Amino acid sequence: SAMIRKVAVVVFPGFQVLDATGPMAAFEIASRFAGEGQGYRLDVVAARAGLVESSSGAALAARGLGDGPYDTVLVSGGIGARALEALPPLAAWLTRQADAARRMASVCTGALLLAEAGLLDGRRATTHWAASSLFSRRYPQVRLEPDRIFVRDGRFWTSAGITAGIDLALALVEEDLGAAIARRTAQQLVVHHRRAGGQSQFSALLE
């Protein structure tokens, strides 16, 4: 059935620009292939509205917390996610959104924000390999699978860093719009159609 799915892409000061824009590009291209009345509408969301600077210095214009409900909430990662002072307003908003959203997702260290919101308690999850020991110390109640490209546990999806966010977005597209559109989107992005979530972060790099 025809529908536009609203996606919130959550950013914070010091986010990794590709964690946000990689999935955004996948959703945008998938929408083009899906045609009229299908696909996605993207909102960039941050704790405060305005320009949010990534770790590269490039900034994205974000709307503040408050809109919604969203079909999908996707939390970007980056070095800023390690600073706990960035988390409280976002974590509270994520907790509220999780009640209404069909699914919650994260890229890289964005999993720290989902965990901080209590959303991953007792669930399987992954994060960027370089943050996995920090993650395990801070959130021992989450069943971390540190080597996975992405992990789905019910309506919660987490992924490793950067390009794994594109793998995750392609998996979400496939669930929503089917394998053919996901494959065409991957071709347009000039990426592998799609690396399976269970693939090792390291073997993917070594190949």
Side-chain angles (χ1 to χ4, degrees), residues 1-6 31 34-41 71 102 176-177:
S1 59
M3 66 177 296
I4 300 288
R5 294 170 172 86
K6 279 180 66 177
S31 297
E36 202 61 45
Q38 299 262 33
Y40 303 94
R41 202 196 94 200
D71 173 82
R102 182 167 61 99
D176 297 341
L177 302 172

Side-chain angles (χ1 to χ4, degrees), residues 16-87:
Q16 161 57 243
V17 72
L18 202 53
D19 283 352
T21 56
M24 287 170 72
F27 289 131
E28 176 215 345
I29 290 162
S31 297
R32 214 181 302 155
F33 290 136
E36 202 61 45
Q38 299 262 33
Y40 303 94
R41 202 196 94 200
L42 300 169
D43 285 354
V44 178
V45 175
R48 280 203 301 276
L51 285 177
V52 181
E53 197 170 306
S54 72
S55 52
S56 71
L60 285 181
R63 56 185 69 210
L65 306 177
D67 280 3
Y70 289 98
D71 173 82
T72 301
V73 176
L74 183 132
V75 184
S76 65
I79 53 173
R82 293 163 182 258
L84 277 171
E85 58 272 16
L87 302 185

